[in-house]
Amino acid sequence: MNFKKEKTYVMIKPDGVRKSLIGDIIARFEQRDLKIVALEMFMPTTKQIDDHYPKDEAWIARLGQKTLSTYEKYGVDANKELGTDNDLEIGKMVRAWLVDYMTSAPLVRMVVEGIHAVDMVRKICGVTIPNFADMGTIRGDYSSDSPAVANSEKRAVMNLVHASETPQEAKHEIKHWFGDREAIFEYERFAD
Ligand code: ADP
């Protein structure tokens, strides 16, 4: 395994594109020595997004749990707000909002390569919920969204960027979004 050449999949989400943050987001990866080896703006289909996010119940329930834990923290009654306090039911709603959100504007897809790229990119992005993301991260610097606000507006949390969570997921997502096209480049930077 060559850790220096680890690859990860990154997607700038509709809010990142519509807030004119494409350049800034890419710059944050490059300034941390990561290398962009594939890059493209495109409009996703609903099916592509639906296939991108996992469909297993454990993953869907985890989405619901994120809503429930912020509701608990801020004293919101899930039953009153969403008509249920079941994590799987809430997760299903959130997943549908996520598909709407991700197909609402063009996205930018890229493959980023470098030392421990998967973990490094996740660190640069910050945690999922911008409200909790540290300053200095992409999500912490440019968004303050929270599930409590998003779900009351019947939408997903807008957090600017998607990044693979594990090397296995990265491999799967790179294949899903770039297929076998020769869109992933090998080149030497001057610094190399
Ligand atoms: P990440 O994108 O950080 O890997 P997840 O895979 O858990 O996070 O969730 C996928 C996306 O779903 C998040 O990036 C966010 O846009 C949205 N999301 C997650 N949990 C919620 C929630 N409880 N309510 C609304 N949107 C959510």
Side-chain angles (χ1 to χ4, degrees), residues 14-37:
D15 51 325
V17 171
R18 295 178 65 194
K19 281 181 166 176
S20 305
L21 289 173
I22 297 170
D24 198 317
I25 289 170
I26 294 172
R28 281 166 183 249
F29 301 133
E30 289 189 319
Q31 82 192 15
R32 199 77 196 265
D33 271 352
L34 292 159
K35 186 167 159 182
I36 308 300
V37 294

Side-chain angles (χ1 to χ4, degrees), residues 7 13 18 37 42-43 55 68 73-74 81 83 92 107 110 122 132 139-140 147 160 163 170 172-173 176 178 191:
K7 290 184 178 59
K13 295 181 170 186
R18 295 178 65 194
V37 294
F42 71 107
M43 191 69 205
K55 291 178 177 154
L68 289 171
K73 182 168 162 62
Y74 296 109
E81 192 72 19
K92 284 180 189 164
L107 310 174
M110 66 189 100
R122 293 281 291 193
F132 298 139
R139 288 164 169 173
L160 305 164
H172 174 81
E173 292 183 349
H176 178 63
F178 283 96

Side-chain angles (χ1 to χ4, degrees), residues 58-67 87 90-91 94-95 98:
W59 189 86
I60 296 173
R62 201 172 55 87
L63 286 185
Q65 281 151 16
K66 283 186 186 159
T67 293
D87 56 4
I90 297 173
V94 170
R95 197 181 185 285
L98 189 52

Side-chain angles (χ1 to χ4, degrees), residues 13 53 59 62-67 94 97-98 101 122 126-129 139 147 150-151 155-159 161-163 165:
K13 295 181 170 186
Y53 287 109
W59 189 86
R62 201 172 55 87
L63 286 185
Q65 281 151 16
K66 283 186 186 159
T67 293
V94 170
W97 294 329
L98 189 52
Y101 158 49
R122 293 281 291 193
V127 297
T128 305
I129 297 171
R139 288 164 169 173
N151 295 176
R155 62 171 178 79
V157 166
M158 295 195 217
N159 55 7
V161 66
H162 164 82
E165 206 171 343

Side-chain angles (χ1 to χ4, degrees), residues 28 122-143:
R28 281 166 183 249
R122 293 281 291 193
K123 197 206 292 254
I124 294 168
C125 290
V127 297
T128 305
I129 297 171
N131 184 35
F132 298 139
D134 287 332
M135 256 79 85
T137 64
I138 294 168
R139 288 164 169 173
D141 284 351
Y142 295 114
S143 175

